[in-house]
Amino acid sequence: MTIFHSAFVLLGVNLGLIWLLMAAPLGTRTISVRRRLDRRPEELWDMTRPAGGLADWHPAVASVRPIEGKPDRLELCYRDPDRSGRPIIRVLAIDRTGVTADGEFSCELRIVADSALDMDFWSGYREVRRIGPAREGSTVAIEQTDSYRGLGFLLYRYLMLHREMAALERHLGGTKPAGRGRLEHPLSQAALAALSTLMLWPFFGFNSNGLMISVFLTLVIVFHELGHMVAFRTFGHLNTRMIFVPLLGGIAIGGRPYASRFEVATCALMGAGVSAFAVPILIGAHEAVSDGLLASRMAAPVLVLLLILSAFNLLNLLPMHRFDGGQVLRQLFAGRPMQTLGTFTVTSAIVWTGWRIGLSSQALIAGLSVFALLSLIRTRKVKPRLELEAMNQQQRLMTGFGLCAALSIHAGGIIYACDRLFTGAPI
């Protein structure tokens, strides 16, 4: 099996995983987290109810303020910033609160206003908090009900609930809350990257060459996501991080919502854009090897790394819904006719690159079919409350030239590597 066939198999596996994590119709689901704590129910109720001391320990809430004239409304100020850098504000409606004859405190609430997101996002969201007496303490339970597409967001909400409970336990123990969760810790991400490398290994053969390819692919993914993080930092995102997902790659996360279409396009393009700087460096390294300045046995690994780097980033520029190229084109062109023309042009350039290196028409059609299926996967829409700022002509020109440059450089890297790796060999 060649590297191209392995890549197609891996793409097929990724297609199924992406559908499961991002688009599988799960319907309305309720997730809950329960803890038994060594405190009286009344004391815990004052800490965990939104109108109580929630801001003293909650990892996401900075302050809580009652709304004058509306006793059933509370304004929560979150630590996370909105698109302008100000804290996100949400208004909670408390639909039901009380205490039962058994001494259980409970409240049911929903979100009725959000300074960052459109209210359609919160239309099905409900939350219930319960504090009940238990042996040698109390039981704290938090339930969240919402409609989900894909396991990814459901798992995220579940992790955030666990993080909230852990913060409460640390507060009761007299310790400060952690700045980030364990999943976001650099050591956790390094372990996930290593796990991903081992999971990728079988796709390329259980030998030294297969391990080399899987290591290179993991490094390429990390470098690609670092490019996105560079763009986030350039636009003033203070809290950027990368989450590594085994087999699927990495996700760069900014510190606030996007403010403009130019910001969306640039942050999407910079994954391939920063990686493009490595292409001439690797070509120069190969030329140095060819000239005998380095050990000749290093020539093939350098070419393999160049091929993986260029192919990964070029495929990410495909104008598909979930890919960086699709993000760029949607921001670059407002109308459907120009988006269609841009899609045809970019796809044609990538298909031509595949034809130039000797891929068969069947392989090209199969690859495009996989990517077309991937583009049909629709996830839950997260619509901002305010429209993104439009691009001006200078920003549109800069983005267009950046996209053309990234396409050309990575296509050139693929052609250079393949011309030297597979000369006279069947593809």
Side-chain angles (χ1 to χ4, degrees), residues 130-152:
R130 293 189 178 93
I131 311 291
R135 193 173 183 180
E136 298 180 354
S138 305
T139 299
V140 180
I142 304 176
E143 298 177 357
Q144 291 180 350
T145 301
D146 205 348
S147 179
Y148 293 94
R149 287 189 66 88
L151 284 172

Side-chain angles (χ1 to χ4, degrees), residues 49-316:
R49 65 190 177 95
L54 193 67
D56 296 335
W57 58 271
H58 198 287
V61 178
S63 65
V64 180
R65 184 180 69 86
I67 297 178
E68 187 176 353
K70 296 182 178 180
D72 62 336
R73 296 286 193 273
L74 291 171
E75 183 182 271
L76 269 64
C77 177
Y78 285 79
R79 303 184 194 279
D80 292 331
D82 63 12
R83 57 191 281 179
S84 61
R86 295 187 292 268
I88 292 175
I89 303 294
R90 290 178 186 146
V91 176
L92 296 183
I94 302 176
D95 293 333
R96 180 180 56 83
T97 184
V99 57
T100 66
D102 297 332
E104 180 184 75
F105 297 87
S106 67
C107 69
E108 182 176 344
L109 47 92
R110 53 194 170 88
I111 295 174
V112 295
D114 191 319
S115 65
L117 297 177
D118 186 87
M119 282 311 300
D120 284 345
F121 181 81
W122 299 107
S123 60
Y125 179 83
R126 299 291 184 275
E127 183 174 318
V128 177
R129 293 173 175 259
R130 293 189 178 93
I131 311 291
R135 193 173 183 180
E136 298 180 354
S138 305
T139 299
V140 180
I142 304 176
E143 298 177 357
Q144 291 180 350
T145 301
D146 205 348
S147 179
Y148 293 94
R149 287 189 66 88
L151 284 172
F153 191 55
L154 186 145
L155 292 174
Y156 170 78
R157 282 249 178 97
Y158 190 71
L159 288 174
M160 290 301 100
L161 278 183
H162 273 280
R163 182 182 176 190
E164 182 177 339
M165 284 293 194
L168 177 59
E169 289 177 315
R170 283 193 294 268
H171 178 74
L172 294 175
T175 58
K176 293 182 179 180
R180 288 185 179 179
R182 293 179 181 176
L183 180 64
E184 298 165 296
H185 194 279
L187 290 178
S188 299
Q189 291 307 306
L192 287 174
L195 176 62
S196 181
T197 301
L198 295 175
M199 294 176 69
L200 289 168
W201 189 3
F203 290 96
F204 307 109
F206 270 121
N207 50 45
S208 58
N209 288 336
L211 180 60
M212 176 188 69
I213 293 172
S214 63
V215 170
F216 283 170
L217 182 54
T218 299
L219 292 176
V220 165
I221 292 171
V222 171
F223 196 56
H224 178 92
E225 298 306 326
L226 286 176
H228 292 308
M229 293 176 69
V230 167
F232 283 134
R233 286 299 180 111
T234 303
F235 280 97
H237 293 243
L238 300 179
N239 249 338
T240 58
R241 53 205 183 276
M242 180 174 66
I243 303 297
F244 214 95
V245 184
L247 279 184
L248 292 179
I251 304 171
I253 302 175
R256 58 165 175 77
Y258 293 114
S260 67
R261 291 187 177 274
F262 181 64
E263 182 181 347
V264 175
T266 304
C267 290
L269 185 58
M270 282 294 281
V274 169
S275 297
F277 286 98
V279 173
I281 294 173
L282 290 173
I283 292 176
H286 179 262
E287 292 294 332
V289 170
S290 301
D291 292 339
L293 299 179
L294 298 173
S296 59
R297 59 191 177 91
M298 292 295 295
V302 170
L303 288 175
V304 171
L305 178 57
L306 174 61
L307 176 59
I308 294 173
L309 174 91
S310 300
F312 179 86
N313 286 282
L314 188 69
L315 292 177
N316 259 281

Side-chain angles (χ1 to χ4, degrees), residues 315-331:
L315 292 177
N316 259 281
L317 292 175
L318 274 167
M320 306 302 179
H321 180 71
R322 303 303 310 172
F323 280 39
D324 295 338
Q327 287 267 39
V328 174
L329 286 179
R330 284 198 302 275
Q331 311 311 317

